[in-house]
Amino acid sequence: MTKNYGVALLITDQTYSRLTQRESYAIRRIEKVKVKGKSEAVTVYEVFDADSEEMKAGKLATLGRFTEALSLYDAGKFAESAQLFQECVAQIYGDRPQRPHHP
């Protein structure tokens, strides 16, 4: 899945919920996906601590907008979501997860 999203490390909600110091990591929610071998969709998160300093700083700077865009997307507000994702993309060139999969 990392190849599909263009990221180095993804974790599931099960791993995320077990982290004792989440604030110590650079993490953002990506989306709910159906994983091979599982009957229920799982939420995946990107851990981007190992990104270049420039990419990591950009992702941290846009984290609020990115999270809001995901919430709008989940609520079916695709136009509003797309606008926020575009704002994020404008700030971080090459950040692929900011282009969500449309239903």
Side-chain angles (χ1 to χ4, degrees):
M1 285 178 47
T2 56
K3 188 176 181 180
N4 292 339
Y5 290 103
V7 300
L9 178 63
L10 290 171
I11 59 173
T12 65
D13 49 354
Q14 184 178 25
T15 302
Y16 180 77
S17 68
R18 291 182 179 173
L19 293 174
T20 56
Q21 297 179 345
R22 289 184 203 135
E23 66 282 350
S24 299
Y25 302 96
I27 298 175
R28 63 182 180 175
R29 181 175 70 94
I30 299 298
E31 72 176 328
K32 276 196 167 211
V33 295
K34 189 86 164 160
V35 179
K36 190 175 187 176
K38 301 270 186 180
S39 58
E40 298 285 323
V42 297
T43 302
V44 291
Y45 297 82
E46 175 193 10
V47 180
F48 56 94
D49 282 297
D51 282 9
S52 70
E53 287 301 316
E54 181 181 1
M55 181 66 78
K56 182 178 174 181
K59 288 179 182 180
L60 289 171
T62 60
L63 189 56
R65 279 181 283 170
F66 186 84
T67 302
E68 184 180 353
L70 285 174
S71 295
L72 289 167
Y73 183 84
D74 291 342
K77 298 179 179 179
F78 303 121
E80 295 96 329
S81 173
Q83 177 62 41
L84 286 178
F85 280 119
Q86 286 175 356
E87 290 175 17
C88 293
V89 168
Q91 188 165 344
I92 314 170
Y93 178 76
D95 186 16
R96 286 181 49 202
Q98 295 187 8
R99 295 180 182 94
H101 306 286
H102 294 283

